[in-house]
Amino acid sequence: LRTELRSGGAFCRATMVKATSSLQAILYEQGTLQLLDQRLLPFETTYLPVPDVKVAWTHIRDMVVRGAPAIGVTGALSLAVDLHVNHQAGAAFSSVEEAIKVINDKLDFLVTSRPTAVNLCDSANKLKAIAIAAAAAAGATPQSVVSAVITSAEGYLDEDIAANKAMGAYGSAALLSEALARGKGAGGRLRVLTHCNTGSLATAGFGTALGVIRALHEQGKLEHAFCTETRPYNQGARLTAFELVHDGLPATLICDSAAASLMASGQVDAVVVGADRVVANGDTANKIGTYSLSIVAAHHNVPFFIAAPTTTLDPDLPSGSHIVIEQRPSEEVTHFKGQRVVTEGIKVWNPSFDVAPAPLIAGIITEKGLIPKQGDSFEVGPFMQRLGLWKGQAESNGVAAAAPPGFLVLSTEAVKHYIASVPTLQQLVGPTDSLDSWKVREVGDGNINFVYIVEGAAGGLCVKQGLPFVRCVGESWPLSQDRVRIEALALMEEARHAPSNTPRVYQYDTKNAIIAMQYLAPPFQIMRQGLIQGKIYPKFAEHIADFLASTLFSTSVFKLSTEEYRRNIQTFTNTEMCRLTEQVIFTEPYTRAANNKHTTPQLDGEVAALQADVQAKVAISLLKEKFIHSAEALLHGDLHTGSVMATEQETYVIDPEFAYYGPIAFDVAKIIANLLLLFFSTYGHEAVNSAPGSREAQRGWVLQCVASIWTLFSDKFTALWTAQGLGGDLYPASLLGPAAPAGPASLAECQRAYMGRLFRDVLGFAGSFMVRRIVGIAHVADLDSISDADIRAGCERRALRFGRALLGQVLEQNISSIDMLVAAAAKAADPEHK
């Protein structure tokens, strides 16, 4: 194999012996590593030397090497070369501790080249563990530690190739069996279509989907291979066609749009493609065009297979609708070799991936075998559990593990480099050569997570990271990072039903517990901040009522089948965050808990009375029981004015890290309670500023807003119930529909009874929220920002008493309408009212 090697600007010629008949993207011998520069294919075959991890970092970042498996192997082998050559196989280290530190630092640096590359993070974590184990061995030396790391790193190359060949063996057998069962593959030889590039160039060797085709060829069972050009980046034309010709396989390149005609002509016996992500039910994201191939294959009774390593399986996502689809630059469509080839002014939609639904997939092939399929869904989670590769949500929820090795902890500086490493995010902020000019602010004002706003020439981005502890307490209160998965899924689910009120998610990074989402630039601000300043939001009641009605109804068994409903409950089981809620809302305020705090000594008597109140303890226990047992709909879980970004005309709901399936009244009550706390605080802000009556207009708006939220929510929820609820399993049309005996009248009575019960629950929950924000661990800035302690305590005392009164509605209801609630709040908050 004649290859061209580059070192800096110099060129040299070298003759290399092919180790196998397949093309190799990675050439390694101890002390030397070379990478095939895939940017130059198919016109030039050039290998670039990799003398250390710094050069490897650049090559990974610049796409010299691509494909998650190949990137992981490259990172490991570059460390092996660096240690062998530049650190004399460990002899240059003065101690085991120095060796461990250098190894860890180099691996952490490598991971920053592509923080979202799972295989790279995995290889870094495994090599760190190998180093630690070697250091703990009796008689350990720097050389023995380095030797263990190099040996392990060198094994990754062979392991990846072996895994791909195992996938090829499983896949070739599966394709042959299924094709023959459908009357295809006459003579036991198959004509196979593939898409994009999944061969030696994307792995350490052999490939995944293309490895299946190679296995058929080695067995004499391949009649012909077809590859699509894979527009717009042409991975099929540039890379797959190159591999097929290089290896001498009988092959034909076709336009993407010709695939349907090719199948209609009877020239395809099976389709096999790779995957970027396979979720719990088997829905598979892959290069754009995969979805259409799955549809066409199903129409023509051609078996459609996925070939993917187990590292690509993601059982934490329930279905393909939760996969974030990357949008690629428009220039990939509008330009060719840097030259524009389409007219100016045309808009471009260029998604990188689409999703093939599980029902259209005949089989999912891994290096461990085929994933079992039940009906229209694959059992991805149980398959991985049996292999010991996934604990499952039921086991992981509620376990607050420390951040894993290799976890990237963001800071105001690190977040810039993280964004720069992800092209789809970087394009939203600005070119990488302007990175030093990007502005970063940490703006998280909550108690749980860290939030960064990053702004550049192209725009801005909001990046949220959940560390494995409660932010407002620190590492002494550990917290599961699974909450970030819940939040990402909740945002995506809410966006399905209330897109005008939910920020867009651009990326969810499972490994690093990061969500990158739409930045809501000024004049948007946290609503609570604006309210404290005295602002009014005239559209808020309508917007939040829409959000509540749409999200709560659409995720409830009012609309869903019981099968969908129960599946959602499992997906959104948020054990640890729920336990936190049970502790700080439903338990601690009524006990002498160390976490509690209140304005002292002014409220000492009020707090003692609360904690000795038998009826309050009964009421809060009943509400806690409802919180735990009543899984009605997917809740936001923490819907207060600090979880809303707003202008006078727009409203977005953010931060659903507490999302779970619970009582519908919980979300409605929380936003009402927070508005009432604001209402009580306005008198204190007037008194501190010696401006009596200055907040009167705001107070009038708050009470009107509270009344409108309930009225509009009730109307909208009932309307959705009437229009769509008869299709769900809870109130079926056969029982309450127009054709059922007394159906419409029965439906109306069910609605009246439910909304009445819901209103009483809203009152009780609202009371519990008001109490905890005055007595518990976390207060609200509306009250805390009143600088005079005596004035603040007066507002808090009146709010606390009103909260207790609402709590009492659980046992004996005497507030039967929203108008009565508003009137009672107006009296209770007024310092002049006796």
Side-chain angles (χ1 to χ4, degrees):
L1 170 64
R2 295 287 293 179
T3 65
E4 186 175 89
L5 303 177
R6 288 185 179 178
S7 179
F11 291 81
C12 64
R13 292 285 181 182
T15 300
M16 293 192 171
V17 179
K18 290 168 65 176
T20 72
S21 62
S22 296
L23 186 67
Q24 292 177 277
I26 301 170
L27 297 179
Y28 175 81
E29 291 182 1
Q30 191 166 84
T32 65
L33 173 64
Q34 297 156 39
L35 299 176
L36 177 62
D37 190 345
Q38 299 186 34
R39 300 168 300 178
L40 306 178
L41 296 175
F43 305 109
E44 187 176 321
T45 305
T46 299
Y47 283 84
L48 304 182
V50 184
D52 55 41
V53 297
K54 290 184 178 179
V55 174
W57 188 97
T58 300
H59 287 344
I60 293 170
R61 173 80 172 271
D62 293 346
M63 300 290 285
V64 169
V65 60
R66 47 166 290 282
I71 289 171
V73 170
T74 296
L77 292 179
S78 70
L79 176 68
V81 169
D82 200 332
L83 292 173
H84 184 84
V85 175
N86 302 318
H87 297 279
Q88 301 170 34
F93 295 126
S94 60
S95 66
V96 168
E97 290 73 22
E98 183 188 6
I100 292 291
K101 183 180 186 307
V102 170
I103 289 167
N104 287 346
D105 288 347
K106 288 180 182 292
L107 289 169
D108 287 342
F109 172 70
L110 275 168
V111 169
T112 65
S113 65
R114 291 286 294 277
T116 57
V118 175
N119 296 62
L120 181 58
C121 289
D122 284 348
S123 63
N125 291 342
K126 290 174 182 176
L127 290 175
K128 284 183 179 182
I130 291 291
I132 291 171
T141 65
Q143 291 94 327
S144 67
V145 172
V146 168
S147 176
V149 171
I150 290 175
T151 300
S152 180
E154 290 174 342
Y156 290 165
L157 190 66
D158 292 336
E159 288 172 10
D160 189 61
I161 294 173
N164 291 336
K165 289 192 172 182
M167 204 179 310
Y170 285 121
S172 59
L175 262 67
L176 280 165
S177 175
E178 186 66 23
L180 290 171
R182 300 191 189 195
K184 301 180 183 298
R189 291 167 61 85
L190 300 183
R191 297 163 297 177
V192 183
L193 172 68
T194 193
H195 186 56
C196 198
N197 176 252
T198 58
S200 296
L201 298 176
T203 64
F206 205 70
T208 56
L210 197 53
V212 174
I213 293 175
R214 281 192 168 104
L216 287 167
H217 180 64
E218 289 177 356
Q219 298 164 20
K221 301 294 180 64
L222 178 70
E223 180 71 25
H224 203 83
F226 293 95
C227 63
T228 61
E229 58 178 345
T230 322
R231 286 281 295 147
Y233 208 61
N234 290 319
Q235 294 98 321
R238 290 190 302 108
L239 304 177
T240 302
F242 180 75
E243 288 199 48
L244 291 168
V245 170
H246 179 278
D247 287 2
L249 274 66
T252 298
L253 173 68
I254 67 169
C255 295
D256 292 357
S257 52
S261 292
L262 186 70
M263 289 191 217
S265 68
Q267 296 186 63
V268 179
D269 300 314
V271 179
V272 61
V273 300
D276 283 87
R277 178 172 291 186
V278 181
V279 298
N281 69 344
D283 290 350
T284 298
N286 191 49
K287 187 58 57 185
I288 190 71
T290 299
Y291 177 37
S292 58
L293 285 176
S294 70
I295 294 173
V296 172
H299 180 73
H300 294 289
N301 195 32
V302 174
F304 180 89
F305 282 87
I306 302 295
T310 51
T311 53
T312 307
L313 307 181
D314 186 359
D316 287 325
L317 290 185
S319 68
S321 64
H322 295 93
I323 299 174
V324 178
I325 301 299
E326 172 188 349
Q327 288 289 327
R328 297 288 299 170
S330 61
E331 288 77 13
E332 290 182 354
V333 179
T334 60
H335 288 66
F336 178 70
K337 289 188 175 181
Q339 180 71 36
R340 189 175 186 92
V341 293
V342 304
T343 186
E344 295 279 1
I346 188 69
K347 294 181 179 180
V348 173
W349 186 63
N350 185 24
S352 183
F353 311 112
D354 53 21
V355 178
L360 302 185
I361 299 171
I364 299 175
I365 308 154
T366 78
E367 76 278 17
K368 302 295 185 181
L370 270 72
I371 299 175
K373 188 176 186 181
Q374 286 287 341
D376 285 339
S377 296
F378 289 87
E379 298 179 332
V380 176
F383 177 76
M384 294 191 72
Q385 282 181 307
R386 286 193 294 273
L387 295 172
L389 300 175
W390 185 61
K391 290 184 177 180
Q393 294 167 15
E395 293 181 39
S396 61
N397 283 341
V399 179
F407 179 82
L408 179 67
V409 178
L410 295 183
S411 64
T412 52
E413 186 63 26
V415 71
K416 293 194 292 185
H417 294 278
Y418 175 82
I419 291 171
S421 71
V422 184
T424 51
L425 302 183
Q426 169 257 308
Q427 293 159 16
L428 296 169
V429 179
T432 53
D433 57 12
S434 68
L435 184 144
D436 289 340
S437 68
W438 293 3
K439 297 178 181 178
V440 181
R441 292 172 288 132
E442 203 288 308
V443 298
D445 68 345
N447 303 306
I448 304 296
N449 299 314
F450 291 81
V451 181
Y452 301 90
I453 300 299
V454 185
E455 296 178 271
L461 197 63
C462 177
V463 179
K464 186 171 186 178
Q465 183 174 43
L467 297 182
F469 52 79
V470 176
R471 172 178 177 161
C472 68
V473 177
E475 295 184 18
S476 63
W477 191 331
L479 198 62
S480 169
Q481 291 170 298
D482 188 57
R483 69 188 190 271
V484 183
R485 174 189 68 85
I486 294 284
E487 178 170 0
L489 294 183
L491 283 168
M492 289 183 248
E493 186 68 22
E494 289 167 353
R496 290 178 59 199
H497 310 299
S500 299
N501 306 117
T502 309
R504 179 181 173 189
V505 173
Y506 296 116
Q507 175 174 289
Y508 164 46
D509 178 353
T510 309
K511 177 69 176 178
N512 294 303
I514 293 171
I515 305 172
M517 67 188 88
Q518 179 183 357
Y519 169 47
L520 300 167
F524 278 101
Q525 73 174 138
I526 296 291
M527 186 179 176
R528 175 173 285 148
Q529 297 172 359
L531 292 172
I532 292 172
Q533 296 164 5
K535 290 184 179 179
I536 289 172
Y537 296 90
K539 299 284 190 181
F540 177 69
E542 179 182 354
H543 293 166
I544 202 67
D546 275 339
F547 175 85
L548 287 165
S550 298
T551 58
L552 294 173
F553 174 81
S554 298
T555 60
S556 74
V557 78
F558 284 81
K559 180 178 181 180
L560 303 177
S561 69
T562 52
E563 181 182 3
E564 293 174 288
Y565 163 75
R566 292 189 176 102
R567 188 164 58 240
N568 283 358
I569 290 176
Q570 184 177 9
T571 297
F572 288 99
T573 297
N574 199 357
T575 301
E576 195 157 349
M577 301 303 279
C578 286
R579 285 182 62 81
L580 180 61
T581 299
E582 292 154 16
Q583 178 178 342
V584 301
I585 294 180
F586 298 110
T587 305
E588 287 186 347
Y590 306 88
T591 69
R592 295 187 184 128
N595 288 327
N596 288 347
K597 57 183 180 180
H598 63 267
T599 303
T600 185
Q602 291 90 335
L603 295 186
D604 288 356
E606 297 286 338
V607 173
L610 169 70
Q611 293 173 354
D613 186 342
V614 172
Q615 297 303 303
K617 291 189 174 185
V618 172
I620 200 64
S621 297
L622 291 173
L623 289 172
K624 184 177 182 179
E625 180 182 6
K626 187 174 288 288
F627 176 84
I628 295 171
H629 289 160
S630 185
E632 291 185 302
L634 177 62
L635 307 186
H636 177 281
D638 199 24
L639 188 53
H640 51 70
T641 54
S643 298
V644 174
M645 294 287 289
T647 68
E648 290 188 356
Q649 300 301 317
E650 293 182 273
T651 303
Y652 281 82
V653 177
I654 62 173
D655 295 346
E657 66 257 24
F658 282 85
Y660 90 113
Y661 260 72
I664 287 174
F666 189 87
D667 268 3
V668 183
K670 197 152 216 183
I671 193 62
I672 287 176
N674 275 265
L675 289 170
L676 290 175
L677 287 169
L678 165 73
F679 182 78
F680 279 80
S681 77
T682 58
Y683 289 100
H685 289 292
E686 284 182 343
V688 167
N689 296 317
S690 300
S694 60
R695 294 289 187 105
E696 192 62 38
Q698 189 187 42
R699 277 195 291 272
W701 170 79
V702 172
L703 293 183
Q704 181 184 12
C705 187
V706 168
S708 295
I709 287 173
W710 171 256
T711 302
L712 290 171
F713 164 76
S714 179
D715 290 346
K716 292 173 185 291
F717 191 92
T718 304
L720 286 169
W721 185 349
T722 301
Q724 303 176 33
L726 298 177
D729 281 352
L730 185 58
Y731 296 96
S734 60
L735 185 68
L736 302 172
S746 300
L747 175 61
E749 184 59 24
C750 285
Q751 292 172 338
R752 185 199 63 77
Y754 179 80
M755 299 309 293
R757 185 170 69 253
L758 186 67
F759 181 71
R760 184 174 69 177
D761 289 344
V762 166
L763 296 177
F765 279 122
S768 73
F769 301 143
M770 295 182 72
V771 169
R772 68 84 49 134
R773 290 298 189 181
I774 297 167
V775 177
I777 185 175
H779 292 194
V780 289
D782 313 62
L783 289 164
D784 279 358
S785 60
I786 300 172
S787 57
D788 187 293
D790 288 331
I791 293 174
R792 179 175 68 250
C795 295
E796 290 174 332
R797 182 179 296 109
R798 291 186 288 274
L800 179 58
R801 289 175 178 176
F802 189 66
R804 289 177 64 184
L806 293 184
L807 192 61
Q809 301 298 303
V810 173
L811 302 177
E812 185 176 352
Q813 185 176 4
N814 52 40
I815 297 175
S816 57
S817 70
I818 193 65
D819 292 335
M820 290 180 67
L821 171 65
V822 166
K827 289 182 181 179
D830 188 351
E832 302 300 322
H833 179 73
K834 304 298 182 184

